[in-house]
Structure formats: C-alpha cells, structure tokens
Amino acid sequence: MSKNINRMFFALIIITSSLMPAGCNDGVAAKQVTADQPVVVNTPALQLNGLLATKDLSVGINRISFLLTSPNALVTAPSVNVESVFLGAPGVVQESVVAEFFLWPLGSRGSYVTELSFDRSGDWRLDVDVLQHDGSIDSALIPLSIAERTVIPAIGSKPPMRTNKTSREISELKFLTTRSIPDPDLYGLTIEEAIETKKPLLIVFASPAFCSSPTCGPQVETVEILKDMYKGRVNFIHVEIYDNPEEVHENISQAKFAPIIDAWGFTELKDYRNGSWVFIIGSDGKITSKYEGYAAREELQNGLENVLYPENN
C-alpha cells in the first residue's frame, strides 16, 4: 500500500469528520494542522504495536526485522509498507519499502524483514502501515537509533580471526555446543581454515539450549538444512556462545562467554545476553551479509545465492 493511498484514506476521514457534529469522534485523537488558522481534524488512532528485533543499526544499508501485534494477536499479513523518517527533520520520509513476513519455526510467531539505508546517525522512526481485509489501514510507529558505525563486524569487512573450537581438539561434541543432537559437520573447521578454502562460509553464533529467545535452536536447525543443500559448495560453522557448554547444562549460573564472542563485539551490544547471529562470508574472505535474530531459510538462501552466483545479482 503506497503512502499516497494512505494519505487519500486519511483525507476521506477528515472530510467525513467535518460533517459530523462536535463530540462524535468516537475516541479518535485530534491533531493540529498548520494553515492560515489552526484547524482540528480527526485521524485514526494507532492500532498496532511494533517491536524492533534488530538493534545493532548503523549508517548505511541495514537488514531490519520487527514484529507487529494487534490488541488481539500477532499480525501476519504477507507484507506491510514501511517508511523511514529522520526525526531531526520531522515529516520528511527518507525511504519507502515493503517488508515481508517470515514465520518462525513451530508456527507460533514471526517477523517482518526488509532493508533500509540510513544516511546519518541519530534518532529515526519507522512508520508501518498494514492494509486490512476491509480496506482500512492500521499503523504502528517504531523508534530506532542509528549509530555512526556498528560494533559488530560490518558488511564488506574481514571478520576477526579469533579461533573457534573444533572437534579435532575436543573429544566430545557436548563440550562444543549446547545442542542436544549436534551435527558434527558444523564443528570440523576453524573460521580461518574455512576462509582459506576460498569457498563461501556461513557462520551461526547461537546457544541452542540456552538462548534468551526461542529462536536459537531453530536457527541452528535451519543452518543444518542449508548445510545439506549446499554441501561441497559452502562451508558451515556453528559457534557456541558459551565456552563451557557442559557446565552450562548442569548450572546456568556457571556460564561464561567464549573468547570469540568478545572478539566479534557481541558483548559490546547493549543488553546483549546470547541472541543468535548469522554471517555469510564470500570467497574473498569479506562479510557479504549478516542477520541479527532469527533469519528464515529463504533469507539465508538468498544470501548464499548472491555469493555463489554474483553475476545474477
């Protein structure tokens, strides 16, 4: 739904409300509009709540993920319209895009995903419009803060070469991951070794059994599926968030982050606990895409296809 249609919709409401007697706004908020003289008009109240799932955002192109909820349920419309507004210039729309809905594993929750480019740091806002079946539009406003640069390795950069543990030096996989049934193929290489093969690389950082969200285990499962699909063409690595997974299983209070988690900057994120991240690295050793929070198989497939077949982009 384009913003022009949205504005036409609001304009019809304004015209209709001008014909109604005073006091008949039925709970709709009043808004001041600047003209020769201030005029009070009626606009629809916000019906939706937005929850930002991606917090490490910086100047440049960013993957944005968010959830929408209505008073009664999670919003699952196939797509929604998103506009970015820089709050230092109120009312000026910087970019308008469509966000697509991706259902999370187990089918109970999901999020909207899109890409937006921010040309400056500071406070921004996402204006999200959802077209309802009856033709009406519900909206949500999502505030976000854009930093000058990300604390996590940026797209186009080479990742830190801090060594991750592998199955060659660790006798049992339970000492490498909190995953209940680990896939040994994800623990055979260090990141440096994988990059030296000149094949694309997908790395998932997650604690499958002790994540702060319900998506870390499913994220690793998704990566395992992709590993089988791209076997021989792409290297895949799972890095456990915790350095002592076997002790974490016995007592979570003993948990300590693996040194590589500090090296990649995760612990510098505000309120970071143990959320999942996925990175795709090209054959040149540079990061081509990164995904904070759950990334659906379709998203990751697109990222892999982009590095495997750049000529098709």
Side-chain angles (χ1 to χ4, degrees), residues 50-57 63-67 104 110-113 126 142 276-277 291-294:
L51 176 63
L52 190 65
T54 43
K55 306 294 179 65
D56 184 42
L57 304 172
R63 170 185 177 267
I64 302 286
S65 176
F66 58 89
L67 288 76
W104 292 352
S111 57
Y112 289 92
V113 177
L126 302 183
I142 304 176
S276 66
W277 282 79
Y291 310 82
E292 180 182 359
Y294 182 75

Side-chain angles (χ1 to χ4, degrees), residues 42-312:
N42 295 318
T43 59
L46 295 176
Q47 299 294 322
L48 307 177
N49 289 319
L51 176 63
L52 190 65
T54 43
K55 306 294 179 65
D56 184 42
L57 304 172
S58 61
V59 173
I61 298 174
N62 294 257
R63 170 185 177 267
I64 302 286
S65 176
F66 58 89
L67 288 76
L68 292 176
T69 60
S70 70
N72 301 316
L74 181 76
V75 176
T76 60
S79 62
V80 298
N81 187 71
V82 182
E83 293 186 342
S84 60
V85 179
F86 177 61
L87 298 185
V92 178
V93 174
Q94 302 292 320
E95 192 174 5
S96 181
V97 297
V98 172
E100 295 184 6
F101 182 78
F102 290 94
L103 192 65
W104 292 352
L106 307 180
S108 59
R109 302 178 70 183
S111 57
Y112 289 92
V113 177
T114 191
E115 279 192 352
L116 282 165
S117 181
F118 302 98
D119 61 359
R120 70 199 82 177
S121 60
D123 293 327
W124 289 68
R125 189 186 72 225
L126 302 183
D127 293 359
V128 183
D129 290 339
V130 182
L131 178 65
Q132 301 299 331
H133 294 297
D134 62 0
S136 63
I137 295 174
D138 283 344
S139 300
L141 304 181
I142 304 176
L144 64 164
S145 179
I146 304 301
E148 191 63 38
R149 57 184 56 86
T150 176
V151 301
I152 303 301
I155 292 174
S157 69
K158 291 190 174 182
M161 288 301 165
R162 180 67 64 89
T163 301
N164 53 293
K165 296 178 182 178
T166 71
S167 55
R168 295 198 305 274
E169 65 268 13
I170 305 298
S171 59
E172 297 181 64
L173 292 182
K174 69 178 183 180
F175 298 111
L176 286 173
T177 175
T178 60
R179 180 103 161 89
S180 58
I181 306 177
D183 184 335
D185 290 343
L186 299 182
Y187 308 95
L189 294 172
T190 66
I191 293 170
E192 185 173 9
E193 289 170 341
I195 290 176
E196 287 176 352
T197 68
K198 301 301 182 181
K199 292 180 181 178
L201 167 63
L202 185 149
I203 310 170
V204 53
F205 291 86
S207 180
F210 293 95
C211 189
S212 55
S213 81
T215 62
C216 289
Q219 184 69 87
V220 176
E221 291 177 22
T222 300
V223 169
E224 290 171 355
I225 293 171
L226 289 169
K227 182 265 302 180
D228 291 333
M229 294 174 60
Y230 290 90
K231 200 172 187 68
R233 293 185 289 163
V234 179
N235 291 314
F236 290 82
I237 292 175
H238 168 225
V239 177
E240 170 64 47
I241 298 297
Y242 296 115
D243 196 43
N244 54 339
E246 77 289 356
E247 295 176 355
V248 173
H249 272 297
E250 297 175 2
N251 186 349
I252 187 63
S253 66
Q254 299 182 40
K256 56 182 179 180
F257 290 126
I260 194 172
I261 302 307
D262 285 324
W264 279 65
F266 298 120
T267 52
E268 294 183 38
L269 294 172
K270 184 179 180 181
D271 300 325
Y272 175 78
R273 286 180 285 175
N274 53 15
S276 66
W277 282 79
V278 175
F279 294 81
I280 295 176
I281 298 173
S283 55
D284 62 353
K286 295 181 180 180
I287 296 171
T288 59
S289 53
K290 61 181 184 179
Y291 310 82
E292 180 182 359
Y294 182 75
R297 187 174 70 179
E298 298 92 329
E299 273 196 273
L300 298 180
Q301 276 187 266
N302 287 338
L304 290 172
E305 294 294 320
N306 286 340
V307 295
L308 286 169
Y309 308 105
E311 67 277 6
N312 296 335

